[in-house]
Amino acid sequence: MWNTFLATGHIINIGHDVFKENRKLADKNRETLKKSGVFSVNIMGAIGSGKTTLIEEAIKALGSKYKVAAIAGDVIADMDASRFEKLGIKTIPANTGKECHLDAHIVNDLLKKNDLSGYDILFIENVGNLICPTDFDLGEDMKIVVVSVSEGDDIILKHPVIFKTSDLAVINKIDIAEAVGVNPETMVRDVKSLNDKIPVLLTSKKQEETVAAWVKTIEDAMLEKKNGN
């Protein structure tokens, strides 16, 4: 049983544990995606981190080899969804209204309305935020957090939880690091200080080898999952 404390000192009983309910639905989503043979990736990051561009690059590289779909989460707009649609993949807009994150209920509803049988990869672009998404499992196979050097080299230590709970950290836009006075290696050290087991990628759309590494990491994770490892 959860209570909400108001500034007035009153307590409102909301009647249930929202996180517990979310976990139940996340487990259902996980089972649904597993039965469909879909590898799902929850990609989180602040607005401007470049996560949409990285997803686009992955779609371009993997779309010719695999059947790819995307859920594009946003508060109200569908601009990111339209970017994915232009790449010729099944795209599912997920407008959250006032909510600053996707949750398992939203994903569950979308999975009921969209048959993903026969798809290989589902990219889930979460709402642009480094705090709210950490509390809500979606039922994904892989959690990825993306930050940009333009956010400053203290951005990681200011948001420790998301790095402690993710499977991969991406430090993006490294081509402008010098211009914004940030050392990407400092950011890598900060990530490792929070989670020494998490892999870290340095990426830039302008550096082909880093984009290739990004795509390979996702493909390798998908194949490992599908092979039952």
Side-chain angles (χ1 to χ4, degrees):
M1 196 72 70
W2 281 70
N3 297 321
T4 298
F5 293 83
L6 303 181
T8 59
H10 292 88
I11 299 174
I12 298 176
N13 188 333
I14 64 174
H16 67 285
D17 182 340
V18 293
F19 299 117
K20 183 178 180 180
E21 292 302 315
N22 187 83
R23 286 192 295 271
K24 287 181 180 179
L25 275 175
D27 287 340
K28 289 183 180 180
N29 295 343
R30 193 171 286 108
E31 187 61 28
T32 297
L33 291 166
K34 182 179 179 180
K35 286 180 179 179
S36 299
V38 180
F39 179 76
S40 55
V41 187
N42 177 11
I43 302 179
M44 305 168 290
I47 295 172
S49 63
K51 61 185 183 296
T52 306
T53 297
L54 287 175
I55 296 171
E56 285 178 314
E57 293 301 318
I59 292 169
K60 291 174 187 176
L62 298 172
S64 60
K65 300 166 64 177
Y66 305 102
K67 198 168 182 182
V68 179
I71 292 175
D74 214 332
V75 176
I76 51 172
D78 61 357
M79 289 181 288
D80 291 346
S82 65
R83 288 171 63 174
F84 300 150
E85 283 179 338
K86 289 178 182 177
L87 297 176
I89 68 162
K90 180 178 181 66
T91 303
I92 307 166
N95 291 337
T96 63
K98 295 180 180 179
E99 298 300 325
C100 58
H101 58 86
L102 293 176
D103 60 31
H105 176 78
I106 293 171
V107 173
N108 183 263
D109 186 53
L110 294 175
L111 292 178
K112 287 178 180 177
K113 295 176 181 177
N114 295 272
D115 183 9
L116 295 181
S117 300
Y119 281 81
D120 298 296
I121 306 173
L122 172 65
F123 289 105
I124 305 172
E125 182 180 26
N126 219 310
V127 179
N129 196 298
L130 284 172
I131 300 174
C132 303
T134 60
D135 291 325
F136 293 89
D137 183 7
L138 305 180
E140 69 283 292
D141 293 301
M142 186 179 193
K143 285 185 174 72
I144 300 176
V145 55
V146 180
V147 293
S148 165
V149 297
S150 61
E151 297 173 75
D153 56 12
D154 58 352
I155 189 69
I156 292 160
L157 295 182
K158 287 181 176 179
H159 301 85
V161 177
I162 199 166
F163 292 93
K164 290 179 179 179
T165 57
S166 293
D167 301 302
L168 174 69
V170 179
I171 297 169
N172 196 27
K173 302 185 182 181
I174 58 171
D175 57 296
I176 64 169
E178 185 176 353
V180 297
V182 169
N183 183 350
E185 293 301 329
T186 299
M187 299 178 77
V188 172
R189 287 196 297 272
D190 285 346
V191 173
K192 291 293 187 177
S193 74
L194 297 170
N195 182 352
D196 61 1
K197 293 181 174 61
I198 189 172
V200 183
L201 291 179
L202 300 177
T203 58
S204 166
K205 181 183 178 181
K206 297 182 179 180
Q207 298 176 6
E208 292 182 7
E209 69 278 9
T210 68
V211 173
W214 155 251
V215 172
K216 185 177 186 301
T217 300
I218 294 174
E219 183 176 20
D220 287 350
M222 178 199 69
L223 294 175
E224 182 177 2
K225 180 73 175 181
K226 287 181 178 289
N227 291 332
N229 298 325

